[in-house]
Amino acid sequence: MRFTPTAEQQQLGEMVQRFLAEQYSFEARRKILGSREGWSRELWSKLGELGLLALQVPEDHGGMAPAVVETLLTVTAMGKAMLLEPYLSSAIVGTVLVRELGSAEQRAEWLPAMAAGERIAVPAHFEPEARYDLKSVRTSGKRSGGDWLLEGRKSVVSHAPAADLLLVSARTSGGDGEPGGISLFAVPRDGQGVKLTPYSTVDGSRAADVALTSARGTLVGEEGHAFDAISTAFDLGLAAVCADAAGALQATLDATVEYTRTRKQFGVPIAKFQVLQHRMVEMLIHVEQARSMSYLAAMRAAEPPSRERRRALSAAKVVIGNACRFVGQQAVQLHGGMGVTDETAISHLFRRLTALELTLGDTAHHLERFVAASTAEGT
């Protein structure tokens, strides 16, 4: 598809790339990765100062929403740098949830702080047996006097250890698998009845499983009517995942081409071997297709909910998921033994691509969703 950013949008994208090149080199990232927290609060504050955490914040709260192209270019640059900070979970999905569901008081209190990097709010939605199904919510929310008490478990909550607030979905009515009856609650990460089991994911970013036992939550939005906003937030998150992957794929291709130009066999660079040139051309084709589909995902995610939006986003994730697997595997093979050492960027990029292929639905899931959306009647 044809995609031409304005001069201002292009300048923003270039600014983000320069900033990350200066502040987030591979060695700097390795130090952050090896730290106890696994992310940099200092860098997060700088992203806030640059206005990059406000792209999904409404203008009346100091942001730029919807900022579709700006978000696409920003996240693509972050994908190249393999950003470890909670941009997807807080600056995209968490911010959209507050924006779409929060009361006037909640939006006024939380959104400016999130945009400034002073508060982190991440979604805690998926559950152990849900397998990417947004409607599968068994965590319960019940009134107890003037409070809401939550009971349940959430799995693989990205950046939960870094969060100030967990945005927890819970069923206040209806049965599992029904979109109606799902509510959203803000729960302090260190609140009573909240237990985190933290760990590192395949690419080194931090996550946690969350157990809720009579945990007090603050209702965000209208009781029982959170599903549409949750669907919108995760669709925007899915578009961001596509952009992140497009950036990581480009970085993987660039690193591989550079390596084959310097690695020699029989006295000549291996980039001279025709069979390897063919493999890199195939990698390039996958990267270009992924980039185009990330543009499509960004545009469609900003549209109102529809069957066409679901189809386009799933189609993009399928194409990009296949690209992540093919490009990552080819890059490691072309690097040889160096491709799996922790000292080289390519091994980190391979793990990043593996994680992105699974994030918010793997290739098989989105192929099923695409078929379902293509055959369903109406919207």
Side-chain angles (χ1 to χ4, degrees):
M1 62 179 295
R2 185 173 181 177
F3 179 80
T4 307
T6 65
E8 292 79 8
Q9 291 166 341
Q10 192 64 45
Q11 288 173 2
L12 173 66
E14 292 170 355
M15 179 272 290
V16 178
Q17 292 188 52
R18 287 195 304 271
F19 170 77
L20 292 174
E22 295 170 0
Q23 302 285 329
Y24 215 78
S25 66
F26 174 62
E27 288 305 321
R29 181 186 183 274
R30 283 188 70 200
K31 290 180 181 179
I32 294 171
L33 185 63
S35 68
R36 183 175 64 87
E37 295 81 6
W39 67 288
S40 170
R41 188 171 292 276
E42 179 183 1
L43 183 96
W44 189 250
S45 296
K46 290 180 179 178
L47 293 176
E49 291 171 5
L50 292 172
L52 300 179
L53 304 183
L55 297 182
Q56 293 301 321
V57 173
E59 291 185 10
D60 57 356
H61 289 99
M64 298 174 59
V68 176
V69 177
E70 291 83 355
T71 300
L72 168 69
L73 296 175
T74 296
V75 179
T76 301
M78 292 177 174
K80 291 181 180 179
M82 296 181 285
L83 197 78
L84 293 163
E85 284 62 40
Y87 198 83
L88 170 65
S89 53
S90 183
I92 302 292
V93 181
T95 298
V96 173
L97 286 173
V98 174
R99 184 186 80 197
E100 297 295 312
L101 286 173
S103 65
E105 293 78 10
Q106 289 169 339
R107 292 196 302 270
E109 179 185 355
W110 297 344
L111 289 176
M114 292 172 72
E118 297 167 356
R119 177 171 289 183
I120 294 173
V122 304
H125 178 72
F126 291 108
E127 301 187 357
E129 299 177 4
R131 199 186 176 273
Y132 310 124
D133 183 0
L134 291 176
K135 298 187 296 296
S136 181
V137 175
R138 297 183 181 179
T139 297
S140 65
K142 296 182 179 179
R143 288 187 184 274
S144 177
D147 296 326
W148 284 94
L149 299 182
L150 309 181
E151 299 276 349
R153 296 166 58 208
K154 300 294 182 177
S155 60
V156 198
V157 180
S158 182
H159 295 99
D164 301 298
L165 289 177
L166 303 176
L167 300 175
V168 179
S169 58
R171 187 164 292 284
T172 52
S173 63
D176 183 41
E178 297 178 5
I182 298 174
S183 304
L184 190 74
F185 298 89
V187 179
R189 184 251 305 159
D190 56 357
Q192 185 176 353
V194 180
K195 180 182 178 181
L196 270 62
T197 304
Y199 47 82
S200 296
T201 61
V202 65
D203 67 336
S205 60
R206 305 301 168 87
D209 293 337
V210 179
L212 303 160
T213 307
S214 297
R216 283 181 170 80
T218 300
L219 183 65
V220 183
E222 187 179 354
E223 178 190 343
H225 294 277
F227 180 76
D228 287 346
I230 290 171
S231 179
T232 294
F234 278 103
D235 276 356
L236 286 165
L238 183 57
V241 169
C242 291
D244 193 328
L249 284 164
Q250 185 63 58
T252 303
L253 177 63
D254 292 344
T256 303
V257 170
E258 180 61 26
Y259 178 78
T260 60
R261 286 174 175 168
T262 56
R263 177 72 169 91
K264 291 185 177 181
Q265 286 187 358
F266 309 110
V268 297
I270 62 175
K272 296 286 187 180
F273 301 158
Q274 190 175 52
V275 66
L276 300 189
Q277 292 176 356
H278 289 168
R279 291 171 71 176
M280 286 184 283
V281 167
E282 289 184 85
M283 291 172 67
L284 173 62
I285 291 170
H286 278 279
V287 171
E288 291 298 327
Q289 288 176 333
R291 180 181 293 109
S292 294
M293 293 304 282
S294 75
Y295 298 162
L296 175 65
M299 298 301 121
R300 291 296 193 189
E303 296 176 353
S306 68
R307 177 177 61 177
E308 190 57 37
R309 186 177 83 175
R310 295 194 301 273
R311 289 180 72 251
L313 286 166
S314 286
K317 191 60 161 61
V318 168
V319 171
I320 290 171
N322 287 330
C324 287
R325 179 167 298 186
F326 180 84
V327 173
Q329 291 176 348
Q330 293 298 316
V332 168
Q333 290 179 17
L334 287 168
H335 276 77
M338 294 296 293
V340 293
T341 60
D342 192 64
E343 291 77 14
T344 60
I346 206 68
S347 69
H348 293 258
L349 284 162
F350 177 73
R351 282 175 275 174
R352 181 74 164 203
L353 292 174
T354 301
L356 289 168
E357 193 271 332
L358 299 171
T359 303
L360 299 187
D362 60 16
T363 302
H365 167 76
H366 280 286
L367 188 57
E368 293 174 2
R369 196 175 91 146
F370 177 82
V371 172
S374 300
T375 56
E377 295 182 1
T379 59

